[in-house]
Amino acid sequence: MTSRLARIGLELYSVRDAMRRDPERTLAQVRAIGYDDVELLWSFDNFGRTPKQVRATLDKEGLRAPSAHIAPEALLTDWERSLEDAKLLGHEYLIVPSLPDETAKSIEKWLEWADRFNTAGATARRAGIWLAFHNEPDHMKPIGNQVPYDLFLEHTDPKVVRHQLDIGNMAQGGADPMAYLQRHRDRYWSFHLKDVVADNSHDTELGTGRLDLRAFLTAIPDLAHKPCYVEQENPKDPLASARQNYGYLKKLVFG
């Protein structure tokens, strides 16, 4: 049995410069390309727009925002207000993409943040929202003889914390995204679809790099209920790349 992605999302970091210039026009262009979903950037203050303004634009364009990327400090300051904003915007997930610099050389700091995630995640669940964590390439760099990302997965409670797997970041960090999906298949509930060049030095348009997106999507259980976003971090022409990436995924048959 073969499948296609039912919904295709775009992480707005991919078009951040256009969003800074004109968020409403850019979201209209994203929708015109064909994208169904977007992942917001609370960590960029939603490009100067209030939650009500963002929701109005999403509704006008017929876009859904299943999630947003947030700064880790949001967990520690007025978290309940963030959860209320998440509900207003229709989010299922608030996702932290990276941790503060204090974790760069300290396993103990990673474990402290795991505890904070468990506490904040429990509060989020009571509000009907999931807290999640997103992987960056440097999360795979060992500290001593331990991979901090692995410990973070182990020490976050699956009942209250989920994870977003960025397959390009995983590859750029020197790990195998398919192996992580297979090993932790019940932990990953959202995905960044990203291709990488042969030497892993940077990402590239989907289908032009070395990652097997067809096999990866086939391996995701219950894919229809897990948001998937295109993210390309530094394309020469962001909207043109977003269009090319959408076209690739729209045609992609897997299973």
Side-chain angles (χ1 to χ4, degrees), residues 4-34:
R4 297 177 188 264
L5 279 176
R7 301 183 69 89
I8 300 173
L10 181 68
E11 181 13 281
L12 292 179
Y13 190 78
S14 306
V15 291
R16 58 196 179 277
D17 291 336
M19 287 292 294
R20 287 190 185 103
R21 290 191 296 271
D22 191 334
E24 286 77 18
R25 181 170 184 267
T26 303
L27 288 174
Q29 291 174 308
V30 167
R31 181 59 178 151
I33 289 170

PDB file of all heavy atoms in Angstrom, residues 4-34:
ATOM      1  N   ARG A   4       0.899   9.141   0.356  1.00  0.00           N
ATOM      2  CA  ARG A   4       1.466  10.469   0.184  1.00  0.00           C
ATOM      3  C   ARG A   4       1.212  11.246   1.468  1.00  0.00           C
ATOM      4  O   ARG A   4       0.320  10.895   2.251  1.00  0.00           O
ATOM      5  CB  ARG A   4       0.808  11.207  -0.989  1.00  0.00           C
ATOM      6  CG  ARG A   4       1.012  10.567  -2.350  1.00  0.00           C
ATOM      7  CD  ARG A   4       0.248  11.364  -3.392  1.00  0.00           C
ATOM      8  NE  ARG A   4       0.235  10.719  -4.689  1.00  0.00           N
ATOM      9  CZ  ARG A   4       1.078  10.988  -5.675  1.00  0.00           C
ATOM     10  NH1 ARG A   4       2.016  11.906  -5.483  1.00  0.00           N
ATOM     11  NH2 ARG A   4       1.000  10.368  -6.825  1.00  0.00           N
ATOM     12  N   LEU A   5       1.978  12.298   1.683  1.00  0.00           N
ATOM     13  CA  LEU A   5       1.742  13.134   2.854  1.00  0.00           C
ATOM     14  C   LEU A   5       0.384  13.820   2.721  1.00  0.00           C
ATOM     15  O   LEU A   5       0.098  14.469   1.707  1.00  0.00           O
ATOM     16  CB  LEU A   5       2.828  14.187   2.999  1.00  0.00           C
ATOM     17  CG  LEU A   5       4.147  13.742   3.641  1.00  0.00           C
ATOM     18  CD1 LEU A   5       5.142  14.899   3.613  1.00  0.00           C
ATOM     19  CD2 LEU A   5       3.939  13.265   5.068  1.00  0.00           C
ATOM     20  N   ALA A   6      -0.455  13.673   3.738  1.00  0.00           N
ATOM     21  CA  ALA A   6      -1.773  14.293   3.710  1.00  0.00           C
ATOM     22  C   ALA A   6      -1.675  15.809   3.868  1.00  0.00           C
ATOM     23  O   ALA A   6      -2.461  16.563   3.284  1.00  0.00           O
ATOM     24  CB  ALA A   6      -2.648  13.709   4.811  1.00  0.00           C
ATOM     25  N   ARG A   7      -0.723  16.265   4.685  1.00  0.00           N
ATOM     26  CA  ARG A   7      -0.509  17.689   4.905  1.00  0.00           C
ATOM     27  C   ARG A   7       0.992  17.953   4.864  1.00  0.00           C
ATOM     28  O   ARG A   7       1.774  17.142   5.343  1.00  0.00           O
ATOM     29  CB  ARG A   7      -1.074  18.146   6.249  1.00  0.00           C
ATOM     30  CG  ARG A   7      -2.554  17.899   6.427  1.00  0.00           C
ATOM     31  CD  ARG A   7      -3.054  18.435   7.756  1.00  0.00           C
ATOM     32  NE  ARG A   7      -3.031  19.896   7.807  1.00  0.00           N
ATOM     33  CZ  ARG A   7      -4.038  20.682   7.426  1.00  0.00           C
ATOM     34  NH1 ARG A   7      -5.145  20.143   6.965  1.00  0.00           N
ATOM     35  NH2 ARG A   7      -3.935  22.002   7.514  1.00  0.00           N
ATOM     36  N   ILE A   8       1.371  19.102   4.315  1.00  0.00           N
ATOM     37  CA  ILE A   8       2.785  19.475   4.226  1.00  0.00           C
ATOM     38  C   ILE A   8       2.961  20.828   4.899  1.00  0.00           C
ATOM     39  O   ILE A   8       2.246  21.789   4.592  1.00  0.00           O
ATOM     40  CB  ILE A   8       3.252  19.540   2.763  1.00  0.00           C
ATOM     41  CG1 ILE A   8       3.068  18.178   2.082  1.00  0.00           C
ATOM     42  CG2 ILE A   8       4.718  19.971   2.693  1.00  0.00           C
ATOM     43  CD1 ILE A   8       3.348  18.186   0.588  1.00  0.00           C
ATOM     44  N   GLY A   9       3.898  20.892   5.828  1.00  0.00           N
ATOM     45  CA  GLY A   9       4.135  22.124   6.570  1.00  0.00           C
ATOM     46  C   GLY A   9       5.469  22.760   6.224  1.00  0.00           C
ATOM     47  O   GLY A   9       6.367  22.117   5.664  1.00  0.00           O
ATOM     48  N   LEU A  10       5.591  24.035   6.581  1.00  0.00           N
ATOM     49  CA  LEU A  10       6.840  24.779   6.397  1.00  0.00           C
ATOM     50  C   LEU A  10       7.242  25.400   7.728  1.00  0.00           C
ATOM     51  O   LEU A  10       6.456  26.123   8.360  1.00  0.00           O
ATOM     52  CB  LEU A  10       6.661  25.886   5.358  1.00  0.00           C
ATOM     53  CG  LEU A  10       7.917  26.726   5.063  1.00  0.00           C
ATOM     54  CD1 LEU A  10       8.972  25.892   4.344  1.00  0.00           C
ATOM     55  CD2 LEU A  10       7.569  27.971   4.253  1.00  0.00           C
ATOM     56  N   GLU A  11       8.451  25.120   8.173  1.00  0.00           N
ATOM     57  CA  GLU A  11       9.037  25.816   9.332  1.00  0.00           C
ATOM     58  C   GLU A  11       9.423  27.221   8.871  1.00  0.00           C
ATOM     59  O   GLU A  11      10.179  27.386   7.917  1.00  0.00           O
ATOM     60  CB  GLU A  11      10.233  25.012   9.797  1.00  0.00           C
ATOM     61  CG  GLU A  11      11.056  25.413  10.985  1.00  0.00           C
ATOM     62  CD  GLU A  11      10.605  26.453  11.942  1.00  0.00           C
ATOM     63  OE1 GLU A  11      10.755  27.632  11.600  1.00  0.00           O
ATOM     64  OE2 GLU A  11      10.174  26.107  13.041  1.00  0.00           O
ATOM     65  N   LEU A  12       8.867  28.233   9.517  1.00  0.00           N
ATOM     66  CA  LEU A  12       9.026  29.600   9.019  1.00  0.00           C
ATOM     67  C   LEU A  12      10.443  30.131   9.122  1.00  0.00           C
ATOM     68  O   LEU A  12      10.748  31.180   8.539  1.00  0.00           O
ATOM     69  CB  LEU A  12       8.040  30.528   9.732  1.00  0.00           C
ATOM     70  CG  LEU A  12       6.569  30.269   9.373  1.00  0.00           C
ATOM     71  CD1 LEU A  12       5.665  31.217  10.147  1.00  0.00           C
ATOM     72  CD2 LEU A  12       6.326  30.399   7.870  1.00  0.00           C
ATOM     73  N   TYR A  13      11.330  29.434   9.824  1.00  0.00           N
ATOM     74  CA  TYR A  13      12.744  29.811   9.793  1.00  0.00           C
ATOM     75  C   TYR A  13      13.273  29.759   8.361  1.00  0.00           C
ATOM     76  O   TYR A  13      14.195  30.501   8.009  1.00  0.00           O
ATOM     77  CB  TYR A  13      13.544  28.871  10.689  1.00  0.00           C
ATOM     78  CG  TYR A  13      14.975  29.303  10.920  1.00  0.00           C
ATOM     79  CD1 TYR A  13      15.276  30.317  11.827  1.00  0.00           C
ATOM     80  CD2 TYR A  13      16.031  28.709  10.228  1.00  0.00           C
ATOM     81  CE1 TYR A  13      16.589  30.726  12.030  1.00  0.00           C
ATOM     82  CE2 TYR A  13      17.343  29.109  10.432  1.00  0.00           C
ATOM     83  CZ  TYR A  13      17.616  30.112  11.333  1.00  0.00           C
ATOM     84  OH  TYR A  13      18.916  30.514  11.528  1.00  0.00           O
ATOM     85  N   SER A  14      12.678  28.921   7.537  1.00  0.00           N
ATOM     86  CA  SER A  14      13.105  28.797   6.136  1.00  0.00           C
ATOM     87  C   SER A  14      12.912  30.099   5.367  1.00  0.00           C
ATOM     88  O   SER A  14      13.636  30.364   4.396  1.00  0.00           O
ATOM     89  CB  SER A  14      12.312  27.682   5.435  1.00  0.00           C
ATOM     90  OG  SER A  14      12.395  26.468   6.128  1.00  0.00           O
ATOM     91  N   VAL A  15      11.932  30.902   5.773  1.00  0.00           N
ATOM     92  CA  VAL A  15      11.616  32.156   5.069  1.00  0.00           C
ATOM     93  C   VAL A  15      11.662  33.333   6.051  1.00  0.00           C
ATOM     94  O   VAL A  15      10.893  34.290   5.932  1.00  0.00           O
ATOM     95  CB  VAL A  15      10.242  32.066   4.367  1.00  0.00           C
ATOM     96  CG1 VAL A  15      10.302  31.092   3.196  1.00  0.00           C
ATOM     97  CG2 VAL A  15       9.144  31.636   5.349  1.00  0.00           C
ATOM     98  N   ARG A  16      12.581  33.284   6.980  1.00  0.00           N
ATOM     99  CA  ARG A  16      12.608  34.255   8.075  1.00  0.00           C
ATOM    100  C   ARG A  16      12.836  35.689   7.609  1.00  0.00           C
ATOM    101  O   ARG A  16      12.259  36.634   8.172  1.00  0.00           O
ATOM    102  CB  ARG A  16      13.661  33.860   9.117  1.00  0.00           C
ATOM    103  CG  ARG A  16      15.086  33.731   8.567  1.00  0.00           C
ATOM    104  CD  ARG A  16      15.974  32.976   9.542  1.00  0.00           C
ATOM    105  NE  ARG A  16      17.336  32.793   9.056  1.00  0.00           N
ATOM    106  CZ  ARG A  16      17.700  31.806   8.232  1.00  0.00           C
ATOM    107  NH1 ARG A  16      16.810  30.956   7.777  1.00  0.00           N
ATOM    108  NH2 ARG A  16      18.968  31.678   7.864  1.00  0.00           N
ATOM    109  N   ASP A  17      13.658  35.887   6.585  1.00  0.00           N
ATOM    110  CA  ASP A  17      13.912  37.258   6.133  1.00  0.00           C
ATOM    111  C   ASP A  17      12.652  37.858   5.500  1.00  0.00           C
ATOM    112  O   ASP A  17      12.323  39.026   5.744  1.00  0.00           O
ATOM    113  CB  ASP A  17      15.072  37.291   5.143  1.00  0.00           C
ATOM    114  CG  ASP A  17      16.406  36.972   5.809  1.00  0.00           C
ATOM    115  OD1 ASP A  17      16.519  37.166   7.040  1.00  0.00           O
ATOM    116  OD2 ASP A  17      17.336  36.512   5.106  1.00  0.00           O
ATOM    117  N   ALA A  18      11.951  37.062   4.722  1.00  0.00           N
ATOM    118  CA  ALA A  18      10.685  37.535   4.138  1.00  0.00           C
ATOM    119  C   ALA A  18       9.649  37.784   5.231  1.00  0.00           C
ATOM    120  O   ALA A  18       8.884  38.750   5.166  1.00  0.00           O
ATOM    121  CB  ALA A  18      10.159  36.516   3.128  1.00  0.00           C
ATOM    122  N   MET A  19       9.635  36.932   6.261  1.00  0.00           N
ATOM    123  CA  MET A  19       8.708  37.131   7.369  1.00  0.00           C
ATOM    124  C   MET A  19       9.020  38.412   8.124  1.00  0.00           C
ATOM    125  O   MET A  19       8.110  39.114   8.575  1.00  0.00           O
ATOM    126  CB  MET A  19       8.749  35.933   8.309  1.00  0.00           C
ATOM    127  CG  MET A  19       8.091  34.670   7.781  1.00  0.00           C
ATOM    128  SD  MET A  19       6.282  34.820   7.622  1.00  0.00           S
ATOM    129  CE  MET A  19       5.783  34.997   9.355  1.00  0.00           C
ATOM    130  N   ARG A  20      10.281  38.738   8.263  1.00  0.00           N
ATOM    131  CA  ARG A  20      10.645  40.005   8.932  1.00  0.00           C
ATOM    132  C   ARG A  20      10.134  41.208   8.138  1.00  0.00           C
ATOM    133  O   ARG A  20       9.685  42.198   8.717  1.00  0.00           O
ATOM    134  CB  ARG A  20      12.167  40.096   9.081  1.00  0.00           C
ATOM    135  CG  ARG A  20      12.766  39.180  10.148  1.00  0.00           C
ATOM    136  CD  ARG A  20      14.237  39.536  10.372  1.00  0.00           C
ATOM    137  NE  ARG A  20      14.876  38.616  11.305  1.00  0.00           N
ATOM    138  CZ  ARG A  20      15.694  37.626  10.942  1.00  0.00           C
ATOM    139  NH1 ARG A  20      15.973  37.434   9.652  1.00  0.00           N
ATOM    140  NH2 ARG A  20      16.243  36.841  11.853  1.00  0.00           N
ATOM    141  N   ARG A  21      10.224  41.119   6.816  1.00  0.00           N
ATOM    142  CA  ARG A  21       9.811  42.245   5.982  1.00  0.00           C
ATOM    143  C   ARG A  21       8.290  42.399   5.959  1.00  0.00           C
ATOM    144  O   ARG A  21       7.776  43.518   6.051  1.00  0.00           O
ATOM    145  CB  ARG A  21      10.348  42.067   4.559  1.00  0.00           C
ATOM    146  CG  ARG A  21      11.855  42.224   4.426  1.00  0.00           C
ATOM    147  CD  ARG A  21      12.281  42.312   2.973  1.00  0.00           C
ATOM    148  NE  ARG A  21      11.986  41.088   2.233  1.00  0.00           N
ATOM    149  CZ  ARG A  21      12.820  40.052   2.133  1.00  0.00           C
ATOM    150  NH1 ARG A  21      14.016  40.094   2.719  1.00  0.00           N
ATOM    151  NH2 ARG A  21      12.487  38.971   1.432  1.00  0.00           N
ATOM    152  N   ASP A  22       7.579  41.288   5.798  1.00  0.00           N
ATOM    153  CA  ASP A  22       6.119  41.362   5.649  1.00  0.00           C
ATOM    154  C   ASP A  22       5.510  40.005   5.987  1.00  0.00           C
ATOM    155  O   ASP A  22       5.347  39.151   5.106  1.00  0.00           O
ATOM    156  CB  ASP A  22       5.772  41.762   4.212  1.00  0.00           C
ATOM    157  CG  ASP A  22       4.305  42.122   4.045  1.00  0.00           C
ATOM    158  OD1 ASP A  22       3.478  41.620   4.832  1.00  0.00           O
ATOM    159  OD2 ASP A  22       3.980  42.896   3.114  1.00  0.00           O
ATOM    160  N   PRO A  23       5.171  39.777   7.252  1.00  0.00           N
ATOM    161  CA  PRO A  23       4.666  38.461   7.643  1.00  0.00           C
ATOM    162  C   PRO A  23       3.377  38.070   6.930  1.00  0.00           C
ATOM    163  O   PRO A  23       3.224  36.917   6.509  1.00  0.00           O
ATOM    164  CB  PRO A  23       4.441  38.587   9.153  1.00  0.00           C
ATOM    165  CG  PRO A  23       5.115  39.823   9.582  1.00  0.00           C
ATOM    166  CD  PRO A  23       5.306  40.678   8.389  1.00  0.00           C
ATOM    167  N   GLU A  24       2.445  39.022   6.801  1.00  0.00           N
ATOM    168  CA  GLU A  24       1.151  38.674   6.197  1.00  0.00           C
ATOM    169  C   GLU A  24       1.323  38.269   4.729  1.00  0.00           C
ATOM    170  O   GLU A  24       0.765  37.258   4.277  1.00  0.00           O
ATOM    171  CB  GLU A  24       0.169  39.847   6.319  1.00  0.00           C
ATOM    172  CG  GLU A  24      -0.388  40.048   7.716  1.00  0.00           C
ATOM    173  CD  GLU A  24       0.585  40.724   8.670  1.00  0.00           C
ATOM    174  OE1 GLU A  24       1.559  41.348   8.194  1.00  0.00           O
ATOM    175  OE2 GLU A  24       0.368  40.629   9.901  1.00  0.00           O
ATOM    176  N   ARG A  25       2.092  39.050   3.994  1.00  0.00           N
ATOM    177  CA  ARG A  25       2.306  38.741   2.583  1.00  0.00           C
ATOM    178  C   ARG A  25       3.045  37.409   2.424  1.00  0.00           C
ATOM    179  O   ARG A  25       2.720  36.608   1.543  1.00  0.00           O
ATOM    180  CB  ARG A  25       3.094  39.864   1.912  1.00  0.00           C
ATOM    181  CG  ARG A  25       3.344  39.644   0.416  1.00  0.00           C
ATOM    182  CD  ARG A  25       3.910  40.911  -0.222  1.00  0.00           C
ATOM    183  NE  ARG A  25       4.062  40.753  -1.661  1.00  0.00           N
ATOM    184  CZ  ARG A  25       5.175  40.342  -2.253  1.00  0.00           C
ATOM    185  NH1 ARG A  25       6.250  40.064  -1.515  1.00  0.00           N
ATOM    186  NH2 ARG A  25       5.241  40.232  -3.566  1.00  0.00           N
ATOM    187  N   THR A  26       4.018  37.167   3.297  1.00  0.00           N
ATOM    188  CA  THR A  26       4.799  35.927   3.195  1.00  0.00           C
ATOM    189  C   THR A  26       3.928  34.708   3.492  1.00  0.00           C
ATOM    190  O   THR A  26       4.010  33.690   2.795  1.00  0.00           O
ATOM    191  CB  THR A  26       6.001  35.976   4.144  1.00  0.00           C
ATOM    192  OG1 THR A  26       6.792  37.126   3.826  1.00  0.00           O
ATOM    193  CG2 THR A  26       6.849  34.723   4.005  1.00  0.00           C
ATOM    194  N   LEU A  27       3.087  34.796   4.509  1.00  0.00           N
ATOM    195  CA  LEU A  27       2.195  33.665   4.802  1.00  0.00           C
ATOM    196  C   LEU A  27       1.228  33.421   3.643  1.00  0.00           C
ATOM    197  O   LEU A  27       0.902  32.269   3.334  1.00  0.00           O
ATOM    198  CB  LEU A  27       1.438  33.916   6.101  1.00  0.00           C
ATOM    199  CG  LEU A  27       2.274  33.803   7.377  1.00  0.00           C
ATOM    200  CD1 LEU A  27       1.465  34.224   8.591  1.00  0.00           C
ATOM    201  CD2 LEU A  27       2.807  32.382   7.559  1.00  0.00           C
ATOM    202  N   ALA A  28       0.783  34.499   2.990  1.00  0.00           N
ATOM    203  CA  ALA A  28      -0.069  34.328   1.807  1.00  0.00           C
ATOM    204  C   ALA A  28       0.693  33.609   0.695  1.00  0.00           C
ATOM    205  O   ALA A  28       0.141  32.735  -0.002  1.00  0.00           O
ATOM    206  CB  ALA A  28      -0.571  35.688   1.323  1.00  0.00           C
ATOM    207  N   GLN A  29       1.964  33.959   0.524  1.00  0.00           N
ATOM    208  CA  GLN A  29       2.780  33.291  -0.500  1.00  0.00           C
ATOM    209  C   GLN A  29       3.010  31.820  -0.151  1.00  0.00           C
ATOM    210  O   GLN A  29       2.978  30.953  -1.034  1.00  0.00           O
ATOM    211  CB  GLN A  29       4.118  34.022  -0.642  1.00  0.00           C
ATOM    212  CG  GLN A  29       4.007  35.403  -1.257  1.00  0.00           C
ATOM    213  CD  GLN A  29       5.337  36.141  -1.241  1.00  0.00           C
ATOM    214  OE1 GLN A  29       5.998  36.255  -0.207  1.00  0.00           O
ATOM    215  NE2 GLN A  29       5.740  36.665  -2.392  1.00  0.00           N
ATOM    216  N   VAL A  30       3.235  31.541   1.123  1.00  0.00           N
ATOM    217  CA  VAL A  30       3.435  30.155   1.563  1.00  0.00           C
ATOM    218  C   VAL A  30       2.188  29.335   1.275  1.00  0.00           C
ATOM    219  O   VAL A  30       2.261  28.206   0.774  1.00  0.00           O
ATOM    220  CB  VAL A  30       3.795  30.133   3.065  1.00  0.00           C
ATOM    221  CG1 VAL A  30       3.702  28.716   3.633  1.00  0.00           C
ATOM    222  CG2 VAL A  30       5.198  30.700   3.277  1.00  0.00           C
ATOM    223  N   ARG A  31       1.039  29.907   1.568  1.00  0.00           N
ATOM    224  CA  ARG A  31      -0.212  29.196   1.290  1.00  0.00           C
ATOM    225  C   ARG A  31      -0.422  29.018  -0.208  1.00  0.00           C
ATOM    226  O   ARG A  31      -0.882  27.960  -0.662  1.00  0.00           O
ATOM    227  CB  ARG A  31      -1.385  29.967   1.906  1.00  0.00           C
ATOM    228  CG  ARG A  31      -2.732  29.286   1.692  1.00  0.00           C
ATOM    229  CD  ARG A  31      -2.749  27.902   2.271  1.00  0.00           C
ATOM    230  NE  ARG A  31      -4.050  27.276   2.114  1.00  0.00           N
ATOM    231  CZ  ARG A  31      -4.238  25.960   1.997  1.00  0.00           C
ATOM    232  NH1 ARG A  31      -3.193  25.133   1.991  1.00  0.00           N
ATOM    233  NH2 ARG A  31      -5.446  25.465   1.883  1.00  0.00           N
ATOM    234  N   ALA A  32      -0.066  30.047  -0.987  1.00  0.00           N
ATOM    235  CA  ALA A  32      -0.239  29.959  -2.442  1.00  0.00           C
ATOM    236  C   ALA A  32       0.632  28.864  -3.047  1.00  0.00           C
ATOM    237  O   ALA A  32       0.248  28.233  -4.042  1.00  0.00           O
ATOM    238  CB  ALA A  32       0.082  31.309  -3.091  1.00  0.00           C
ATOM    239  N   ILE A  33       1.801  28.619  -2.458  1.00  0.00           N
ATOM    240  CA  ILE A  33       2.642  27.508  -2.918  1.00  0.00           C
ATOM    241  C   ILE A  33       1.905  26.185  -2.747  1.00  0.00           C
ATOM    242  O   ILE A  33       2.032  25.272  -3.568  1.00  0.00           O
ATOM    243  CB  ILE A  33       3.972  27.485  -2.138  1.00  0.00           C
ATOM    244  CG1 ILE A  33       4.855  28.658  -2.570  1.00  0.00           C
ATOM    245  CG2 ILE A  33       4.731  26.160  -2.354  1.00  0.00           C
ATOM    246  CD1 ILE A  33       6.089  28.857  -1.691  1.00  0.00           C
ATOM    247  N   GLY A  34       1.118  26.079  -1.670  1.00  0.00           N
ATOM    248  CA  GLY A  34       0.359  24.862  -1.416  1.00  0.00           C
ATOM    249  C   GLY A  34       0.477  24.327  -0.006  1.00  0.00           C
ATOM    250  O   GLY A  34      -0.221  23.373   0.362  1.00  0.00           O
TER     251      GLY A  34
END
